Amino acid sequence: MVTGIMVLPLLVGLLLSAAPASAHESDDPTEGLTYLTEEFRPFNYTENGRPTGLAVILLKQIWQEMGVPEQPIRVMPWARIYDAAQLDRHTMIFSVYRTEEREKSFKWVGPIVQGRLALFALRVRHLAVNSLRDLAGRRIASLRDTAATIKILRVGLAPTYASRAEHAVQLLESGRVDAVAMDIFRFRRATTAMGIPQDTFETVWVLSEDFLYYAFSRDTADPLIARFQRALDAVTRRPLYRNLLNFYIN
């Protein structure tokens, strides 16, 4: 018997092999959007020169549900796409944590999946954190403009910015910082890629548990947001969505 998970790689391959639609005139507002994403496994990343991942495949399914030809997706550094969605018109970025701090900066379609923003430390350090006040004077590494960073800045903590997740983990492992503020997916991917056992670290404080979404610039028309949301809701009710979660997350 062939299960959904066994055929998922084939389905993914078929989706990725589909050629982008040729440029043409259209009155469909979905085709006037700029779609931006970053390297953020397992949701969006480049493989064989093309964007892929859970959120990319889900977006392609949304387009199909809406009757929209496949659109170009540009992969850029996070800081650039985050600024673009706030400053440029008709832009959608993903995958983005929908947090209290960001709520009014974008319009939202989701959720894609739930995540966690937390502070991680070396287990051997036995860093005791009963409140964020305990971190006053501590050195905390984070990535610029990420959801975890915004949360620690809000409480008055000044982070040491790392260029990427692996750099933050290196700072932690070498003792140059006391903790790393990051989402759990990015942290686990970085430590796994570096070959460091997961039990080397512990979560010392959970900043929040939020969902990842597709985030649209504020000028995006509400009817278009509602159209995307209806399409996503239809897609996530299908077995393929559960198979995607099992393949990429579980």
Side-chain angles (χ1 to χ4, degrees):
M1 179 178 179
V2 180
T3 66
I5 290 299
M6 292 174 64
V7 302
L8 183 60
L10 176 60
L11 293 174
V12 172
L14 290 173
L15 283 167
L16 295 179
S17 64
S22 59
H24 63 282
E25 294 295 326
S26 173
D27 294 328
D28 192 328
T30 62
E31 297 182 48
L33 286 168
T34 298
Y35 298 87
L36 304 177
T37 191
E38 63 162 333
E39 297 286 347
F40 180 16
R41 290 177 178 265
F43 305 105
N44 21 267
Y45 57 94
T46 304
E47 188 171 79
N48 298 323
R50 298 173 65 93
T52 187
L54 190 157
V56 173
I57 295 170
L58 195 59
L59 178 58
K60 292 182 178 183
Q61 291 296 300
I62 292 169
W63 285 332
Q64 186 174 30
E65 177 70 21
M66 297 167 69
V68 175
E70 184 175 320
Q71 302 296 298
I73 300 172
R74 296 174 60 191
V75 181
M76 299 166 57
W78 169 247
R80 289 176 61 190
I81 71 169
Y82 189 71
D83 287 343
Q86 296 180 87
L87 301 175
D88 297 346
R89 295 171 56 82
H90 311 306
T91 300
M92 184 250 265
I93 67 174
F94 64 98
S95 304
V96 184
Y97 276 95
R98 184 176 182 175
T99 62
E100 177 186 356
E101 296 83 2
R102 289 173 168 169
E103 182 64 31
K104 295 181 180 179
S105 297
F106 306 102
K107 292 184 179 180
W108 304 91
V109 170
I112 300 170
V113 70
Q114 187 175 26
R116 176 183 295 169
L117 306 172
L119 289 163
F120 305 94
L122 290 170
R123 190 177 297 276
V124 296
R125 290 287 304 277
H126 303 292
L127 185 64
V129 180
N130 298 310
S131 76
L132 289 177
R133 296 188 194 92
D134 295 335
L135 293 168
R138 295 285 189 177
R139 298 161 299 173
I140 302 172
S142 66
L143 304 177
R144 193 178 298 274
D145 292 328
T146 60
T149 299
I150 293 170
K151 286 188 176 294
I152 62 173
L153 285 170
R154 191 181 187 186
V155 298
L157 298 174
T160 296
Y161 289 117
S163 58
R164 54 197 178 93
E166 289 82 0
H167 180 210
V169 174
Q170 288 172 350
L171 292 174
L172 179 60
E173 194 178 26
S174 66
R176 285 180 283 173
V177 298
D178 302 297
V180 167
M182 197 174 292
D183 77 89
I184 192 167
F185 297 112
R186 204 181 302 266
F187 186 80
R188 285 180 175 173
R189 286 282 173 173
T191 55
T192 298
M194 296 169 72
I196 306 173
Q198 294 297 317
D199 60 5
T200 304
F201 309 97
E202 62 179 344
T203 301
V204 295
W205 187 261
V206 175
L207 294 165
S208 66
E209 293 188 337
D210 297 295
F211 287 88
L212 287 156
Y213 273 68
Y214 299 99
F216 293 74
S217 54
R218 293 291 303 168
D219 70 294
T220 308
D222 290 338
L224 183 56
I225 295 295
R227 186 180 169 199
F228 268 96
Q229 188 64 60
R230 287 193 301 270
L232 175 61
D233 292 342
V235 171
T236 55
R237 286 193 292 266
R238 297 174 188 153
L240 178 61
Y241 174 65
R242 176 54 55 185
N243 289 342
L244 286 170
L245 293 181
N246 287 336
F247 184 76
Y248 283 104
I249 305 296
N250 299 334

